[in-house]
Amino acid sequence: MDDRAHLELAKVEARLGRMEGGIPIGAALVTADGSVLGVGHNRRVQMGSAIRHGETDALERSGRQPASVYARSTMYTTLSPCSMCTGAILLYGIPRVVIGEHRTFMGDEELLRSRGVEVIVLDDPECVAMMKEFIAAEPTLWNEDIGEPDPV
């Protein structure tokens, strides 16, 4: 698998999400043979959703799949998965997660690893830059997205 090329799909989605006025986090669900099941981006702002993160959007847009398909897929995400997205990855038995970056936010990578999921962090400079710029410009929205209270 070409992890950097598949991460690029998630980065395109992240850019799209930001252009729509949302949060620049994207994801792609790809099978072991390289077939793209679905791509998505954080649409919480756009849809007024409490749960539409990049990973959950990619899962939703992938449609219903048998467990055997998830079991041979990789979730590509521009940012380390939060607890909710980690839970979805575990629920569907996705065995591999490739993360663009975890400098700006460290999700539940250790939980994924403890449950046998292969976790790869690419430390992609564009992913880091997108999140740093977004967090600086929209700290209240960022805190809302990760379930943190606004800083006082």
Side-chain angles (χ1 to χ4, degrees):
M1 289 195 109
D2 186 346
D3 288 339
R4 292 217 176 259
H6 289 115
L7 179 64
E8 193 60 40
L9 298 170
K11 287 166 55 175
V12 166
E13 287 291 312
R15 288 185 217 109
L16 179 59
R18 189 64 182 133
M19 286 175 17
E20 294 172 350
I23 299 162
I25 302 169
L29 187 61
V30 180
T31 64
D33 67 4
S35 299
V36 178
L37 294 172
V39 296
H41 56 273
N42 186 306
R43 294 175 190 243
R44 291 187 67 250
V45 172
Q46 300 90 316
M47 297 178 75
S49 171
I51 62 169
R52 212 59 177 263
H53 281 190
E55 298 90 336
T56 56
D57 191 49
L59 282 165
E60 178 67 20
R61 295 173 75 190
S62 295
R64 287 177 55 195
Q65 301 294 330
S68 61
V69 171
Y70 295 121
R72 58 182 185 83
S73 296
T74 297
M75 178 66 77
Y76 292 87
T77 179
T78 58
L79 186 65
S80 186
C82 71
S83 298
M84 177 178 66
C85 295
T86 293
I89 290 163
L90 293 173
L91 176 68
Y92 290 106
I94 298 167
R96 189 167 184 269
V97 178
V98 176
I99 299 167
E101 70 103 349
H102 62 192
R103 288 193 219 175
T104 60
F105 177 79
M106 175 60 78
D108 282 330
E109 294 175 27
E110 287 309 313
L111 177 57
L112 289 167
R113 286 185 184 100
S114 77
R115 298 282 293 275
V117 175
E118 179 184 8
V119 177
I120 298 163
V121 180
L122 297 180
D123 197 28
D124 183 88
E126 183 182 3
C127 291
V128 173
M130 276 193 287
M131 286 311 299
K132 282 186 174 182
E133 290 166 13
F134 171 74
I135 293 167
E138 302 273 1
T140 300
L141 183 55
W142 172 239
N143 284 330
E144 176 190 320
D145 195 61
I146 59 172
E148 294 289 330
D150 284 337
V152 178

